[in-house]
Amino acid sequence: MKRIVLLISGRGSNMEAIVQACARELWDAQVVGVLSNRSEAAGLAFAQARGIATQVVDHRAYADRADFDGALGDAVQALQPDVVALAGFMRVLGAGFVQRFEGRLLNIHPSLLPAFPGLHTHRRALQAGCRLAGATVHFVTPELDLGPIVIQSAVPVRADDDEDTLSRRVLATEHLIYPRAVRWMVEGALRVDGLRVHQRDGQPQWLFVDDVEPLARPG
Ligand code: GRF
């Protein structure tokens, strides 16, 4: 039974999607903990209601990033994870943390990386006139929002899209690709070769959704 730890900062809809897929698809895995740097994170209530252990490691309680990274890393390590998935975790993690969990550490970013690392991805994609937008699940490396790409989703940008409508449609696809990526990790189905990630069974590492309607709650 593989052990999954999820890190959140807010709403936690990707966390919910992973927890639900794990149960529904009978993965040989368990979400053993949900950690947040913010005690107000709405997603904590969902985890608690499902009987998942939660813990808050508040970044404001630490003198600097290295101290926070150390405390967070110790809390994660105590759960003996096989997979650590950042699911809307809004703190940049330093090299020390990343190296501690490298190879086990995934993130989801709401853009088609390497385009638009950082914040306000949908606004920037609209401003840039992109005709496709999307999300990327990638292994975390010390550089922000880079690292070997596991799976990407894409949606067309509609003429009347604004930041809100576009982000909701992309988020609905995040809920499809992130569970898939975590499942592949649990199954040991990924092999990393430089920046390229190979899925053992040749399953598509992309998802194009033409007609997705946002199922997710507004953000
Ligand atoms: C998602 O758009 C994710 O890609 C980004 O932050 C958002 C988190 O949403 N990293 P949620 O907390 O999973 O609902």
Side-chain angles (χ1 to χ4, degrees):
M1 179 81 78
K2 293 283 172 58
R3 301 169 63 83
I4 302 167
V5 170
L6 305 174
L7 270 58
I8 66 170
S9 294
R11 175 180 54 192
S13 67
N14 278 291
M15 171 208 65
E16 282 189 38
I18 292 166
V19 168
Q20 283 166 348
C22 180
R24 186 177 63 241
E25 298 171 3
L26 305 175
W27 300 355
D28 186 19
Q30 195 184 349
V31 177
V32 293
V34 171
L35 276 70
S36 173
N37 64 309
R38 294 177 61 237
S39 58
E40 321 87 84
L44 289 171
F46 170 88
Q48 283 155 5
R50 301 286 287 231
I52 299 169
T54 62
Q55 195 176 332
V56 174
V57 182
D58 188 336
H59 59 276
R60 292 168 302 192
Y62 297 89
D64 55 28
R65 193 161 79 186
D67 275 4
F68 170 67
D69 280 4
L72 183 68
D74 289 347
V76 171
Q77 186 58 49
L79 293 162
Q80 299 181 289
D82 298 291
V83 183
V84 181
L86 309 179
F89 186 72
M90 298 306 285
R91 302 296 299 176
V92 174
L93 294 166
F97 184 96
V98 171
Q99 278 153 11
R100 211 164 159 183
F101 300 103
E102 202 155 5
R104 291 181 279 169
L105 189 56
L106 294 178
N107 181 44
I108 190 159
H109 182 75
S111 79
L112 289 168
L113 289 173
F116 311 122
L119 297 174
H120 309 304
T121 53
H122 303 300
R123 188 188 311 169
R124 289 156 65 204
L126 287 166
Q127 278 165 356
C130 293
R131 308 310 315 189
L132 289 170
T136 304
V137 179
H138 63 96
F139 283 99
V140 179
T141 54
E143 306 94 291
L144 182 67
D145 296 332
L146 291 175
I149 290 171
V150 176
I151 186 169
Q152 292 186 301
S153 59
V155 302
V157 177
R158 294 178 184 164
D160 59 351
D161 262 334
D162 58 22
E163 203 177 338
D164 180 54
T165 58
L166 183 58
S167 66
R168 289 198 212 191
R169 288 211 322 291
V170 170
L171 185 65
T173 71
E174 294 181 34
H175 299 159
L176 302 173
I177 62 170
Y178 210 1
R180 206 171 290 181
V182 175
R183 180 177 178 158
W184 289 339
M185 286 289 286
V186 162
E187 294 173 341
L190 298 177
R191 181 173 59 80
V192 183
D193 178 14
L195 275 178
R196 302 197 61 149
V197 180
H198 302 273
Q199 204 284 341
R200 182 184 55 199
D201 309 311
Q203 288 189 23
Q205 288 169 258
W206 55 271
L207 175 73
F208 177 69
V209 188
D210 200 358
D211 59 353
V212 66
E213 290 306 326
L215 303 171
R217 295 189 301 274

